[in-house]
Structures are given as structure tokens and as C-alpha cells.
Amino acid sequence: AQSVTQLGSHVSVSEGALVLLRCNYSSSVPPYLFWYVQYPNQGLQLLLKYTTGATLVKGINGFEAEFKKSETSFHLTKPSAHMSDAAEYFCAALLSGGYNKLIFGAGTRLAVHP
Amino acid sequence: NAGVMQNPRHLVRRRGQEARLRCSPMKGHSHVYWYRQLPEEGLKFMVYLQKENIIDESGMPKERFSAEFPKEGPSILRIQQVVRGDSAAYFCASSLGARAQETQYFGPGTRLLVL
């Protein structure tokens, strides 16, 4: 079955440190890929998405992600973490023949400490 | 420019009651999606609707759950005879078109608690 896997349900970094959140997908055909952020008791906000073209995608709040077909990955990075980045992050894929159905990973909760 | 609106934001029901969740898509959007988020889990797709049509309901439980998106008014997710396992956050999303790469914009969710 097609799926999205996020390695690490909890990630903790120091303020100013690199943020790396991992996402892998399983699909024979490269899907469209998305990263969403969810703050407590709120809905999901789109950070960035990859559809076609450039494999390095820049999003809001200084985040970026790189699509690597050979590794079936779409890891999210930010060079310098800020306290306001503390939230839950979801990787999602739109898979072939999926009728616009987003397949979500289980999420990674990011903690940022001083 | 209002985003996706959902109401109520919180809903408490006793076992056996009905729950009705409403979703108003972004202005100009005619595609609506419902997702369910169980505690400590990611979102799971339930149903995709266009105006007056159900396009994909592959994620909907076979019993007690139904969804509609009438010509006028919001989309409704209806859960009959709720059970404790229905307690979850229900998110609605909308998109402008049907292309796969269209961004889905999410509402704030309805948090259902079944006592």
C-alpha cells in the first residue's frame, strides 16, 4: 500500500540550530508532496509543496524541502530554529490515481528550547 | 478573504446521539475534503465532494457516517449513533479546482468528544 513515513515522532532542537524533519514515501510513481504545520488546537497550514520542476522547494517561515526521487524522500529543513517553530509537522503525498486524496504521515512534533 | 470555516469548533455528544459537522469552503472553492485525526495520529482521508456529488468516499466508515455538499450552503459531515471511538478532530479542506496539485486549504477543525 502507498504510504508516507515520518521518522521521529518527536524532535527537539536548540534555538538557532538546524531543523531536519524526515519524510519518505512509498510509491512507484513520484507523487506530489506537501509539508503542513499544525499549531495546538488549530488547523493545518501549508508550508510548501512539490509538484514538478525544481526539486528544492522554498516555503514560508524560512523552511525548505528537497525532493529526492532516488531516495524517495522529501525532508524538511530550516537553517536556524526559532521558538515560534515549535509545532507539529505533517508530510503528505498525493499519490497517482488518488483522486486528490492526501496521504499523511503520522506527524513530527518539534520542540525548540532556549 | 475568509478561509475555510468549520463549526462548531467543539462538540460534545453522548453515545447514541447524532453529530453534525459543518464546513464552509473558501470563497470560489467547489471542492471539499473531510479528514479525521485521531489522538496522536496523522490525518486520515474520509471523503471528497464537489457540489452535489460525492467523488471519493473510500475513507468513510461503511455505517453511521455520511457526507453531503449541497448546491447551496455548507458541506455537512453527519455521524449517527456516535460511539466513543468517534472522538477525534475532524478537518475540512477545500480547493479551487480538481487538479491533483491544487493546494488544499484546511479549516480549524471540529473536535468531537463522545461521552
Side-chain angles (χ1 to χ4, degrees):
Chain A
Q2 296 168 327
S3 64
V4 174
T5 302
Q6 291 183 241
L7 290 174
S9 58
H10 291 80
V11 170
S12 181
V13 301
S14 300
E15 193 174 18
L18 171 72
V19 176
L20 171 61
L21 305 182
R22 300 177 187 275
C23 174
N24 289 86
Y25 65 89
S26 67
S27 173
S28 57
V29 176
Y32 298 129
L33 295 160
F34 307 79
W35 275 100
Y36 284 88
V37 60
Q38 183 182 31
Y39 296 99
N41 295 317
Q42 294 187 26
L44 278 70
Q45 179 182 6
L46 181 70
L47 279 176
L48 48 80
K49 66 179 181 181
Y50 169 77
T51 54
T52 57
T55 56
L56 182 62
V57 181
K58 295 187 185 299
I60 62 171
N61 301 340
F63 284 94
E64 62 182 37
E66 186 171 9
F67 169 63
K68 292 187 177 180
K69 183 179 177 180
S70 61
E71 299 177 8
T72 62
S73 69
F74 190 55
H75 301 331
L76 181 71
T77 60
K78 182 174 180 177
S80 177
H82 191 272
M83 297 295 288
S84 61
D85 294 326
E88 184 135 29
Y89 292 80
F90 291 96
C91 180
L94 247 174
L95 302 173
S96 57
Y99 276 125
N100 299 0
K101 172 170 58 182
L102 282 170
I103 307 295
F104 281 87
T108 297
R109 190 174 300 277
L110 175 66
V112 182
H113 50 86
Chain B
N1 186 16
V4 177
M5 300 176 66
Q6 291 187 249
N7 67 81
R9 294 289 305 274
H10 299 273
L11 183 61
V12 180
R13 286 287 179 265
R14 297 191 180 281
R15 283 178 295 169
Q17 292 184 318
E18 179 179 286
R20 280 182 178 247
L21 287 60
R22 296 175 190 79
C23 169
S24 296
M26 286 182 70
K27 187 176 180 180
H29 287 193
S30 59
H31 301 261
V32 166
Y33 315 81
W34 285 93
Y35 294 84
R36 177 165 64 175
Q37 184 180 30
L38 295 170
E40 305 300 320
E41 293 187 16
L43 281 73
K44 297 286 194 291
F45 169 82
M46 299 181 76
V47 62
Y48 165 32
L49 310 103
Q50 293 179 28
K51 286 283 189 182
E52 301 183 277
N53 288 303
I54 295 175
I55 306 302
D56 180 3
E57 55 181 348
S58 59
M60 287 278 272
K62 293 290 184 280
E63 297 177 350
R64 302 187 297 108
F65 284 72
S66 62
E68 62 177 8
F69 189 17
K71 187 177 180 181
E72 301 291 337
S75 175
I76 306 287
L77 179 68
R78 182 184 180 202
I79 311 172
Q80 295 178 288
Q81 300 175 347
V82 296
V83 301
R84 289 216 173 108
D86 297 332
S87 295
Y90 293 82
F91 290 96
C92 167
S94 73
S95 67
L96 182 62
R99 295 183 309 155
Q101 61 264 49
E102 294 274 358
T103 296
Q104 293 183 24
Y105 295 89
F106 282 79
T110 294
R111 281 151 182 85
L112 172 64
L113 175 63
V114 179
L115 301 177

